[in-house]
Amino acid sequence: MVPNPLALIAEVTHRCPLHCVYCSNPLQLAGTTGELATEDWIRVFQQAGKLAMLHAHFTGGEPLARQDLTELIGAARSAGLYTNLITSGIGLAEERLQALVSAGLDHIQLSFQDSREASANWIAGAKAHAHKIEIARAIRGHKVAFTVNLVVHRQNLDHLEEMIAFIEQLQPERMEIAHTQYYGWALANRAALLPTRAQVEKAVEVVAAAEKRLAGRIRIDSVVPDYYAKYPKACMGGWGQRLMLIDPAGKALPCHAAGVIPGLEFENVRERTLGWIWQESDSFRRFRGEEWMPEPCRSCDRRSEDFGGCRCQALLLTGDATATDPACTLAPVHYIVEAALLEANSGAAVSQPTSAASFSQLRQQTTTLWSYRTNPE
Amino acid sequence: MPPPEDLRQPRLAAGCRWGGSEENRVILFPEGAIKLQGTGRQVLERCDGQRTFGQIITELQTQFGDADPAKIRDDIGKFLEQLRQKRIVDY
């Protein structure tokens, strides 16, 4: 028996009012009509509680796009799970916030795209920044833990100090500075998002200084840029080791982007229990442990630390999900990442934010730079 | 950042709460959990926002009668200081 998973990632919908260019959702988004019903999700949380899972992370898309979110949070909390809402804040106002907290919401993670309004709205493809600030203030009026998340990349990294100071005055307990992960829309927009080495090195210094300054007041968690790392990230703590993701249509995935891997059939929570899927399904067993590993992973001292990196990234960059993650400097195909870095370090400077009267105009004006995330049918 | 002063009342920080089962007690926080056993668990179960740091120390010094009281104070102070850095405890 494999030890039970620690946390459930509940991707409750792919609908989202924002169009962030760094979104890691798949390009093929799940449509509204196929979304799990309220009672399906409630059953999932009950099963997760019985497996002694600890956390339920509500994400999407924008979880608030589900009208039954308060009920879902309440069900997860009743099942004994720690409830974490990962949100843009769009769709949240005082009354709904109060209802979510009363239902047992433990923690809210609110995203910001930038400290500068024009740039934030340009990255999100929506006029969202001012509302987010209002919501951040409202959250502080409630007894709920608060994290501000900021995704960083080429277009905003140059003023990271300013962004940290901006987050500081929103008074969260925690801030997450997350370098963009290149999946889905972010991968499609990589040329506009991948930072230079100088930007990354400066960011490390800025974050270290902020950690020291804010110690005991605001905890900083960082997500490192794996393209610039020596070794790959331990994606999801290992395939089928710690985490289980349920997508809006009920498919159980071992990793956010696993749906792109050809030849893998993913079980659906409509037909199977979480316990069965975790223990028995081919998809969760496929890359669990070390049997599947190619060289150099198979004989590498680090194989039990980073598990050969991310299977989805291996597929997206090499076409082969069983390859060593190309982010690893030991990977035979590391040149793929090196080529992207070479381009990033010789490319044009940061772009100027664009604004437009409508989203469709904004899309037209920025076609040479990036594609905005669109909504599912 | 110093360890708590005697009159401070340590408590779990916002977003942190107990979870797990009786045999497997954990403190849950936004992105993870820490498993607590033995002395660590005994210290944190007393961080209820009511007891002062001084009271917590006295209780544990009584309980571990044969250990050096100064060392107990020092160890618990450092333990709480570390947890405060991680925003798991406030005082």
Side-chain angles (χ1 to χ4, degrees), chain A residues 2 15 26 46 100 145 160 167 189 191 225 229 240 307 346 373:
Chain A
V2 182
R15 288 173 282 150
Q46 287 166 347
L100 287 165
L160 181 56
I167 295 172
N189 292 324
F307 319 102
S346 58
R373 177 199 195 274

Side-chain angles (χ1 to χ4, degrees), chain A residues 38-340:
Chain A
T38 309
E39 57 271 24
D40 294 323
W41 279 114
I42 292 175
R43 192 179 62 246
V44 164
F45 297 130
Q46 287 166 347
Q47 290 174 4
K50 288 211 180 86
L51 292 176
M53 288 167 82
L54 299 172
H55 290 75
H57 301 287
F58 286 80
T59 183
E62 172 51 66
L64 292 162
R66 292 246 349 180
Q67 292 307 308
D68 57 357
L69 185 66
T70 302
E71 197 180 338
L72 299 186
I73 298 271
R77 181 66 196 253
S78 301
L81 301 166
Y82 184 102
T83 52
N84 177 19
L85 174 60
I86 299 166
T87 181
S88 70
I90 307 301
L92 202 52
E94 181 55 37
E95 200 178 330
R96 199 168 182 202
L97 180 58
Q98 175 65 57
L100 287 165
V101 174
S102 301
L105 181 61
D106 284 297
H107 175 249
I108 298 187
Q109 176 176 309
L110 181 67
S111 67
F112 276 87
Q113 281 66 44
D114 203 321
S115 51
R116 300 174 179 174
E117 182 165 20
S119 173
N121 290 345
W122 167 60
I123 292 162
K127 293 191 176 80
H129 187 71
H131 175 76
K132 284 164 175 276
I133 295 174
E134 271 178 45
I135 280 300
R137 303 227 161 99
I139 290 169
R140 276 298 61 169
H142 287 272
K143 247 184 105 64
V144 63
F146 181 32
T147 292
V148 171
N149 160 281
L150 177 74
V151 175
V152 294
H153 44 74
R154 190 180 188 89
Q155 304 299 333
N156 63 8
L157 263 175
D158 285 339
H159 54 282
L160 181 56
E161 268 170 318
E162 183 187 315
M163 294 193 289
I164 290 173
F166 166 78
I167 295 172
E168 194 183 335
Q169 50 90 32
L170 300 172
Q171 300 179 297
E173 280 90 29
R174 185 170 161 272
M175 68 170 94
E176 188 175 274
I177 309 290
H179 277 270
T180 302
Q181 304 279 314
Y182 297 99
Y183 301 89
W185 301 85
L187 181 59
N189 292 324
R190 192 177 66 188
L193 297 173
L194 192 60
T196 64
R197 185 172 295 279
Q199 282 181 311
V200 169
E201 284 170 1
K202 180 80 197 316
V204 171
E205 286 171 28
V206 168
V207 170
E211 272 172 349
K212 206 169 159 193
R213 186 168 58 81
L214 299 171
R217 214 151 45 92
I218 301 177
R219 169 177 167 158
I220 301 184
D221 285 331
S222 311
V223 176
V224 299
D226 62 348
Y227 276 46
Y228 280 100
K230 194 168 175 194
Y231 302 114
K233 60 179 176 280
C235 183
M236 305 295 272
W239 182 278
Q241 299 286 338
R242 308 168 74 118
L243 302 167
M244 184 178 234
L245 181 144
I246 310 299
D247 89 351
K251 268 197 295 187
L253 305 176
C255 176
H256 294 81
V260 298
I261 299 179
L264 278 186
E265 291 284 338
F266 296 99
E267 310 290 335
N268 197 297
V269 298
R270 287 181 169 114
E271 282 116 39
R272 296 284 192 179
T273 64
L274 299 193
W276 189 92
I277 295 170
W278 185 257
Q279 296 292 343
E280 307 292 336
S281 72
D282 288 342
S283 55
F284 274 80
R285 290 154 59 141
R286 178 67 182 86
F287 298 112
R288 189 180 266 154
E290 298 174 1
E291 286 301 303
W292 63 272
M293 283 183 183
E295 290 292 357
C297 302
R298 187 177 271 272
S299 57
C300 182
D301 287 344
R302 295 181 51 87
R303 69 185 181 280
S304 56
E305 281 174 61
D306 57 34
F307 319 102
C310 178
R311 298 303 87 227
C312 314
Q313 179 149 282
L315 175 88
L316 289 166
L317 297 185
T318 74
D320 175 7
T322 68
T324 299
D325 187 336
C328 183
T329 49
L330 304 173
V333 289
H334 182 60
Y335 67 85
I336 294 173
V337 163
E338 281 179 337

Side-chain angles (χ1 to χ4, degrees), chain A residues 360-377:
Chain A
S360 58
Q361 275 184 27
L362 185 64
R363 275 178 91 177
Q364 282 165 17
Q365 287 173 21
T366 53
T367 44
T368 54
L369 182 63
W370 55 34
S371 316
Y372 284 103
R373 177 199 195 274
T374 50
N375 256 309
E377 298 297 316

Side-chain angles (χ1 to χ4, degrees), chain B residues 1-16:
Chain B
M1 196 186 319
E5 292 157 17
D6 275 15
L7 287 177
R8 293 286 182 168
Q9 295 162 301
R11 62 189 180 281
L12 295 188
C16 300

